[in-house]
Amino acid sequence: MWNLLKKGGGDSGLAELDPNNIATRNWLLGQLAGVSAYVGDNWKWLRASLDSKTHTGFRFVKAKIHRVNGKIRYYFSGYSKSNLVFGPGGFGPGHDRIMSIFGGAGKANSAFKATAAGVVGTFKGNALISFIFGSASAMAEWQDDVSKDGYDLAASLLTTIVKSIFSAAVTVVIVTCLVLLIMLVFGASMSVVAVGALTIGVGVAVSYGTDYLDKKLGKMVMGESHNDGLAAVLAEHMRQSVHYHWSYLKKKLLWNYEEAVF
């Protein structure tokens, strides 16, 4: 498996579909891990949103937004009485169920809390396993490239963390806005499982866009020949900083230390 990850960061073979060469094999495996983590962490309500115990047979649980006394409330339909996850509703944006499924759409405070929860969720449960997989991929690709040193590895892991946090936050914000547009502005009902599918789709798109932006900014700073994104910029900054402070420390303390040359 480790050898597979080592060779998974090169050309994806999807040049016609992915001219930016972002969707490498490791990237695709990472997205699969992310989707699996999302389904695993939200399996309870995803499974309950497909109810087969209604008196009319199999039905999708749907949600609709209504304004009640000037406040936004979520109502559900298409569920059976034995479905313990969903009820008729009347839930506000700050309800735990609404926060986890709809990103707290409808109230700024609840949307902010949902975004924060989405970021924290990156480092919990199945999502943490997905994050560890992404970090392992970065380490494997680094080990396979003899031109890179420890600064490159540290920079790669740090940028992976930042990109994960950024992607999680942006995904929640986009899904929240889309939910408000569809359900509040257009007044349409929405299948709960469709919200899950929308979250997965937006998450993959945001991840791709984040990596594209990362590569673009890296090339702007380091030149078109560099494909490691901002990690290359950070690695070079760390390298120069450490060397500068090491030289300064030797001079300040009047050391006669000289590095051995073999």
Side-chain angles (χ1 to χ4, degrees):
M1 181 62 180
W2 189 253
N3 289 330
L4 181 70
L5 293 177
K6 278 185 177 182
K7 304 298 181 182
D11 292 339
S12 61
L14 301 173
E16 293 183 0
L17 299 176
D18 178 31
N20 302 304
N21 195 33
I22 291 171
T24 64
R25 185 172 63 199
N26 280 350
W27 188 89
L28 293 172
L29 288 174
Q31 299 311 303
L32 180 60
V35 171
S36 299
Y38 176 81
V39 172
D41 288 335
N42 298 280
W43 179 245
K44 186 176 181 180
W45 65 262
L46 284 170
R47 180 179 60 182
S49 66
L50 305 173
D51 200 335
S52 61
K53 297 180 180 180
T54 67
H55 66 278
T56 57
F58 178 89
R59 293 186 68 184
F60 288 95
V61 176
K62 293 184 177 181
K64 192 172 180 65
I65 291 179
H66 292 284
R67 287 188 179 275
V68 180
N69 296 325
K71 296 181 179 180
I72 289 178
R73 290 291 181 264
Y74 287 76
Y75 293 88
F76 298 100
S77 62
Y79 66 94
S80 63
K81 290 183 179 180
S82 62
N83 191 330
L84 301 180
V85 175
F86 296 100
F91 303 123
H95 191 279
D96 289 344
R97 203 167 305 163
I98 306 304
M99 294 270 284
S100 61
I101 302 173
F102 301 97
K107 191 175 180 181
N109 184 47
S110 57
F112 177 80
K113 288 182 178 179
T115 302
V119 170
V120 173
T122 304
F123 307 102
K124 293 172 60 178
N126 291 309
L128 176 60
I129 298 175
S130 173
F131 174 76
I132 292 174
F133 175 86
S135 299
S137 298
M139 290 184 66
E141 291 177 27
W142 167 80
Q143 192 179 59
D144 193 55
D145 192 340
V146 295
S147 67
K148 294 183 178 179
D149 56 20
Y151 298 108
D152 293 296
L153 176 60
S156 178
L157 294 176
L158 284 172
T159 52
T160 295
I161 293 173
V162 172
K163 287 193 293 184
S164 296
I165 292 173
F166 177 79
S167 296
V170 172
T171 296
V172 175
V173 170
I174 291 178
V175 171
T176 301
C177 292
L178 289 175
V179 166
L180 285 175
L181 179 65
I182 296 171
M183 298 177 65
L184 185 61
V185 177
F186 295 148
S189 61
M190 196 170 183
S191 170
V192 174
V193 74
V195 178
L198 176 66
T199 303
I200 290 173
V202 170
V204 173
V206 168
S207 179
Y208 186 94
T210 300
D211 284 332
Y212 173 77
L213 180 62
D214 176 41
K215 272 195 172 186
K216 201 73 175 177
L217 291 174
K219 288 183 177 181
M220 287 173 61
V221 177
M222 302 294 290
E224 287 296 322
S225 61
H226 290 266
N227 291 311
D228 292 329
L230 292 176
V233 180
L234 180 59
E236 185 59 28
H237 176 75
M238 292 169 63
R239 192 177 291 112
Q240 292 179 3
S241 179
V242 170
H243 288 177
Y244 169 79
H245 286 94
W246 176 241
S247 299
Y248 176 80
L249 186 61
K250 287 194 297 181
K251 182 178 180 180
K252 189 73 173 178
L253 297 179
L254 301 177
W255 286 358
N256 292 320
Y257 172 85
E258 292 293 339
E259 294 185 5
V261 178
F262 296 97

